[in-house]
Amino acid sequence: MKKTIKYTTLTMATLLAAGALISPINPVHAADGGTAHSTGSIKYVTDNSTTDPIDPTNPDPDKPVTPTDPGHENPGAGPLSIDYVSNINFGEQKTTGTDATYYANLDKISESDGTASEVPNFVQVTDKRGSNAGWHLSVTEDTQFKNGNDTLDGALITMKNGTLSTPNDGEAPTASTEIKLVPGTASDVVDAATDKGTGTWLDRFGNDATDGKQSISMFVPGKTKKVQGEYKTTLTWTLTDSPA
């Protein structure tokens, strides 16, 4: 062990002496910095959940409302859906032999805090497809109002003052400002061109409750036979996955 140490000392001394006679050697260091790679990812899937109806005059997705008018269909589900549509009720009227115009009752809802409210009749559509392909909403009065075998000939429903609202920041679609329903014929309600109508949109008939009271009417000619009892029809609202 002792010899080895001396040999090593001698070798180091020799190298040091030799190094004094030649140009200095710069030490080699690893390069500073460098690069590395990581990945980021996101995966979209279809949202088939149901979107709850919200207040058309104060749309807040965190405050869904509950319709209190009985007889509504279950709300739609899926990436493109009709979430809600009001029933149109003209109430109880006295028979008459003169021309008459009747106005639809307001829709009744229960706010998220339990408060009862009357709001303009409305329809709510949600587009969460992500394709921005646009959509189109129409309505058809399937048949004229009927009471058993009796028909309310000449009765005409008019929907006015279509007003759009949304809790989102998408580009607005276009709502028809006046719709006259002809039995058996589809009428345009809302049209969303490409890149418009994304998220949830509500079309209410009347800007507020006061306006809404005069926004959906039914004209009945005085000469029309009116049998006592309830006349009914069905309105079919159709949502297609492309603009008109």
Side-chain angles (χ1 to χ4, degrees):
M1 290 295 293
K2 188 175 181 179
K3 181 178 181 180
T4 301
I5 293 173
K6 285 184 177 180
Y7 179 80
T8 301
T9 302
L10 175 62
T11 301
M12 292 296 293
T14 303
L15 289 173
L16 289 172
L21 301 176
I22 61 175
S23 59
I25 299 175
N26 293 326
V28 178
H29 299 285
D32 293 334
T35 59
H37 301 281
S38 63
T39 62
S41 66
I42 182 172
K43 181 180 180 180
Y44 285 104
V45 297
T46 300
D47 185 350
N48 289 313
S49 63
T50 297
T51 302
D52 293 324
I54 54 180
D55 188 334
T57 59
N58 184 26
D60 185 342
D62 295 326
K63 297 179 179 179
V65 300
T66 302
T68 57
D69 182 25
H72 283 99
E73 293 182 356
N74 292 328
L80 180 64
S81 60
I82 300 175
D83 308 322
Y84 177 81
V85 62
S86 299
N87 288 324
I88 309 301
N89 185 354
F90 293 97
E92 186 177 284
Q93 307 294 339
K94 294 181 179 180
T95 57
T96 178
T98 59
D99 292 353
T101 298
Y102 309 105
Y103 292 95
N105 297 333
L106 295 173
D107 202 351
K108 296 178 174 61
I109 60 173
S110 176
E111 303 283 356
S112 58
D113 62 1
T115 302
S117 298
E118 289 188 325
V119 295
N121 293 288
F122 70 102
V123 56
Q124 177 179 311
V125 172
T126 294
D127 180 6
K128 49 192 174 186
R129 294 169 296 171
S131 63
N132 292 19
W135 48 269
H136 183 75
L137 179 69
S138 64
V139 61
T140 303
E141 182 182 357
D142 293 344
T143 63
Q144 186 53 273
F145 279 80
K146 290 185 177 182
N147 176 8
N149 294 324
D150 294 299
T151 301
L152 203 60
D153 295 332
L156 174 65
I157 295 177
T158 301
M159 300 177 171
K160 300 191 300 182
N161 304 322
T163 304
L164 294 170
S165 60
T166 180
N168 309 121
D169 60 356
E171 293 291 327
T174 301
S176 298
T177 56
E178 183 172 282
I179 304 165
K180 292 183 179 295
L181 297 184
V182 177
T185 301
S187 297
D188 297 334
V189 180
V190 182
D191 188 63
T194 303
D195 293 327
K196 295 185 177 182
T198 57
T200 296
W201 287 88
L202 301 96
D203 183 21
R204 65 185 186 271
F205 298 98
N207 185 55
D208 52 28
T210 300
D211 195 24
K213 290 179 179 179
Q214 302 291 316
S215 292
I216 299 182
S217 63
M218 180 170 66
F219 170 78
V220 182
K223 65 181 181 180
T224 297
K225 178 182 178 181
K226 306 168 186 71
V227 176
Q228 291 183 351
E230 187 175 28
Y231 285 81
K232 287 186 175 183
T233 188
T234 299
L235 303 185
T236 298
W237 302 76
T238 303
L239 180 62
T240 54
D241 60 359
S242 61

